[in-house]
Amino acid sequence: MLRLFIREASITLASLLLVSAVGFALLDAVGDRDWQATAIYAHLFGFTRDHAIGADLPLFWNPTVLDADRRTAADLAQLDGPSTRAAARARLDRRGSAALPTILARLDQLTPVARREALSLIASWSQSLTGSERAPDPLASDPEARARVWWSRFQASRGLDFRLSYATRQAQRVGAHDRTNAYGRLLQLGTFALPGIQNVLATSSVSDEQARLTGLLSALTRIPVRADPGSAHGEVQRVTAAWQAFWFAERLEFETLTEERRATARFFETRYGRWVERAMRGRWGFSRLTNRPVAIELRWRLPVSTLSSGLGGLIGTAIAIAFGGGPMLRRRRLRPKLLDLAGALAPGLVAFVLLWLLLLRACSPTPTLRSDLALVLGQGQWARALACAAVIAAGVGWFLQRPKAASATQLVRLEAESWMAERMRPGVREVLRHGARIGLASLLAPLGFAGPFVLLASLVVELPLGLDGMGELTARALLATDAPWLMAAMLTTVPLLLGRRWARGLLVDVLDLPASPPVRVTAPPLDSPP
């Protein structure tokens, strides 16, 4: 069993990576590349649409990751040339104190002209960095030696403040308690504090905390995008999403990566890598068809499709066991057929209901199970789900008549008969043992032998029946090239398709099912030559 789990888990993970990479490349080429819905906020920060969605990033591999340190080093080198000096100084000034550690570390490596320009630039930041004192400016007739001494004293007294952990801790204090001292320290750190503030904002779910942090971001960058504490929840969420879109586009402009992170950033600082990183955090982007987050759509639609498909597969399996089989089995009386139907359906139905309720609570957007049921099965959803389950049950019952599934259905039938026979006796242990085996087998059989049909049926049947499930939105997304939802649909389909391998492996262990069908040997005719 352990070997089966390790082998199948490795195959499933590799398949997910391969399918997601191929699907992302195709959808990124033919569809809208705004995977995280960041383009709508581009005008707030003066970005172009391509910059807002990260279109300038490589697709799969970034050989040269240009973080704040490397961008600053390149701009410092351009301070020496008269034709490039103004543009380089403007970029450094916009980057602000996020470039300060790199500038101070590289002063000795610069030419005299570039060094004076750099010292003059950071002198204009000194009052905001200290709160009052201004550093000497070599371009304003101050001796360069005095400027170097001033910045040496600054590093000795404030150097430890320029750490990501320090900025993150102060941002947590501002978000949680609105501390005036922490707010002032972050203002003095300037743009160097942006990564720490964004880290706290990414994990925040409280409106007042988000409002304080976005107000701090607005003060640091001088960009008037903010929501005051006490604003409506929807307005705070909109402003928070705008600043997250800002960070999606400008992250490497203000953040200096460690050597370890720079190595992994060759993958994660690509269009596909950024999508993977956000998907691992549950941020799949927005569906263009519904204008809602894909994660919300998954939580709403996955239980609906699981109910219709799982119930249809379970009923189809029970029908195939009770009324299918060879000619001898089909000529049985109605009573043993009904006993087989009850034996195959009852334990599996109990197991399915328990598992489905656990899935419903895992995907729950509401606090109680009763609210979940009303949300998922309200407005006639239950009737449409039963209609979809009936169609799938008919198809699964037909699929399980094939020779490849005959041995499995026969063993499930024998287990069902054993369970029904044990119920006539007081042996509780045997009843539970056979009930658990038949319940698990009834759930695994349709997945192991009719999984692709169940997925295809949900894709085809849900749309005409009006069932708000995975298949209904996927069918519409195929026509509209809704890339974020199609990626989510693919990544939920792959484990289900590969679940056939898991199901068959477990059936082998649960029912002692042969791993391969027996080979029939036919005797040669009597008149054939030896």
Side-chain angles (χ1 to χ4, degrees):
M1 182 66 74
L2 180 60
R3 184 179 300 175
L4 168 70
F5 178 80
I6 295 175
R7 183 183 72 245
E8 298 303 327
S10 302
I11 294 174
T12 302
L13 180 60
S15 301
L16 282 173
L17 291 175
L18 179 62
V19 170
S20 66
V22 174
F24 185 91
L26 292 175
L27 293 171
D28 191 66
V30 303
D32 186 6
R33 294 187 290 176
D34 187 12
W35 291 94
Q36 300 295 333
T38 54
I40 59 176
Y41 304 107
H43 67 283
L44 297 176
F45 305 100
F47 297 158
T48 63
R49 186 182 187 279
D50 285 347
H51 183 62
I53 65 177
D56 52 341
L57 292 173
L59 182 60
F60 289 118
W61 187 253
N62 193 345
T64 55
V65 180
L66 298 178
D67 60 350
D69 178 68
R70 293 190 174 185
R71 293 170 190 254
T72 301
D75 290 334
L76 288 174
Q78 294 187 10
L79 288 177
D80 196 36
S83 60
T84 59
R85 183 177 301 150
R89 179 159 180 157
R91 289 192 296 269
L92 288 169
D93 192 41
R94 179 178 179 274
R95 197 169 299 126
S97 59
L100 183 63
T102 302
I103 294 175
L104 295 178
R106 292 176 178 269
L107 282 176
D108 293 334
Q109 304 172 19
L110 301 178
T111 63
V113 173
R115 185 165 54 249
R116 285 193 296 271
E117 290 287 342
L119 288 171
S120 175
L121 174 64
I122 60 179
S124 63
W125 305 342
S126 56
Q127 281 186 310
S128 61
L129 289 171
T130 59
S132 58
E133 189 178 358
R134 182 179 177 86
D137 184 353
L139 296 185
S141 302
D142 293 327
E144 181 180 330
R146 284 184 54 202
R148 296 292 297 273
V149 170
W150 194 96
W151 286 108
S152 296
R153 287 192 290 107
F154 177 85
Q155 281 184 293
S157 60
R158 295 284 310 280
L160 291 178
D161 293 351
F162 285 81
R163 294 174 297 160
L164 178 61
S165 59
Y166 178 79
T168 302
R169 187 166 62 252
Q170 299 303 321
Q172 289 171 342
R173 296 179 63 192
V174 169
H177 306 293
D178 195 13
R179 298 290 180 86
T180 304
N181 290 338
Y183 191 89
R185 290 168 184 167
L186 288 172
L187 285 181
Q188 287 186 351
L189 281 179
T191 57
F192 181 87
L194 290 181
I197 300 171
Q198 287 286 354
N199 289 343
V200 178
L201 183 62
T203 59
S204 174
S205 58
V206 181
S207 293
D208 288 343
E209 182 178 354
Q210 292 172 339
R212 286 191 287 268
L213 292 173
T214 53
L216 180 58
L217 290 171
S218 177
L220 287 177
T221 59
R222 299 183 180 88
I223 299 175
V225 179
R226 60 186 303 157
D228 297 326
S231 300
H233 179 72
E235 176 64 15
V236 175
Q237 293 299 309
R238 186 189 70 83
V239 173
T240 301
W243 279 108
Q244 290 173 342
F246 167 86
W247 197 241
F248 181 83
E250 292 286 276
R251 173 177 171 179
L252 292 181
E253 184 71 26
F254 298 99
E255 186 174 13
T256 296
L257 305 177
T258 62
E259 290 301 324
E260 294 79 7
R261 288 191 59 196
R262 188 175 286 120
T264 58
R266 295 177 185 272
F267 168 74
F268 284 109
E269 289 303 329
T270 60
R271 295 202 297 277
Y272 175 66
R274 285 191 174 186
W275 179 86
V276 169
E277 182 181 14
R278 291 192 164 212
M280 292 170 61
R281 297 178 181 177
R283 299 171 61 183
W284 299 71
F286 282 74
S287 170
R288 292 173 55 194
L289 290 173
T290 63
N291 292 322
R292 291 192 297 185
V294 170
I296 299 297
E297 293 292 344
L298 283 171
R299 291 170 61 184
W300 167 269
R301 294 173 181 270
L302 187 59
V304 175
S305 291
T306 304
L307 176 63
S308 59
S309 302
L311 193 60
L314 181 64
I315 294 174
T317 302
I319 292 174
I321 291 169
F323 300 99
M328 294 293 294
L329 290 172
R330 288 198 294 268
R331 284 198 295 266
R332 293 180 302 166
R333 291 184 177 183
L334 181 60
R335 184 174 182 275
K337 291 181 179 180
L338 293 178
L339 289 176
D340 284 350
L341 179 66
L345 187 59
L349 187 60
V350 172
F352 173 75
V353 169
L354 292 177
L355 292 175
W356 184 76
L357 290 177
L358 289 175
L359 174 65
L360 184 62
R361 289 305 296 161
C363 299
S364 170
T366 63
T368 62
L369 180 61
R370 183 176 180 180
S371 302
D372 291 342
L373 293 173
L375 184 64
V376 171
L377 300 179
Q379 300 179 353
Q381 281 280 89
W382 63 272
R384 291 189 286 269
L386 290 178
C388 184
V391 176
I392 293 176
V396 170
W398 175 74
F399 253 81
L400 293 182
Q401 300 301 316
R402 298 179 303 162
K404 287 186 177 180
S407 57
T409 54
Q410 176 61 20
L411 289 175
V412 176
R413 184 181 295 111
L414 295 176
E415 283 290 331
E417 293 172 354
S418 300
W419 183 71
M420 293 299 293
E422 290 292 342
R423 285 174 59 85
M424 307 299 177
R425 306 170 189 173
V428 178
R429 181 179 299 178
E430 291 300 316
V431 170
L432 294 177
R433 183 173 68 87
H434 285 294
R437 284 162 63 96
I438 185 61
L440 181 59
S442 298
L443 295 177
L444 294 175
L447 179 61
F449 295 97
F453 172 81
V454 172
L455 290 174
L456 181 61
S458 66
L459 183 67
V460 174
V461 174
E462 286 184 2
L463 184 60
L465 290 180
L467 183 66
D468 295 333
M470 298 279 294
E472 184 267 342
L473 185 55
T474 302
R476 292 195 290 133
L478 287 171
L479 300 177
T481 319
D482 187 356
W485 175 258
L486 289 177
M487 282 295 294
M490 280 191 291
L491 292 185
T492 53
T493 300
V494 169
L496 292 176
L497 289 176
L498 293 177
R500 300 178 65 195
R501 299 170 56 92
W502 291 81
R504 292 188 182 188
L506 290 173
L507 281 172
V508 170
D509 288 340
V510 171
L511 298 179
D512 297 326
L513 180 69
S516 59
V519 179
R520 295 184 178 180
V521 180
T522 304
L526 295 177
D527 57 350
S528 60

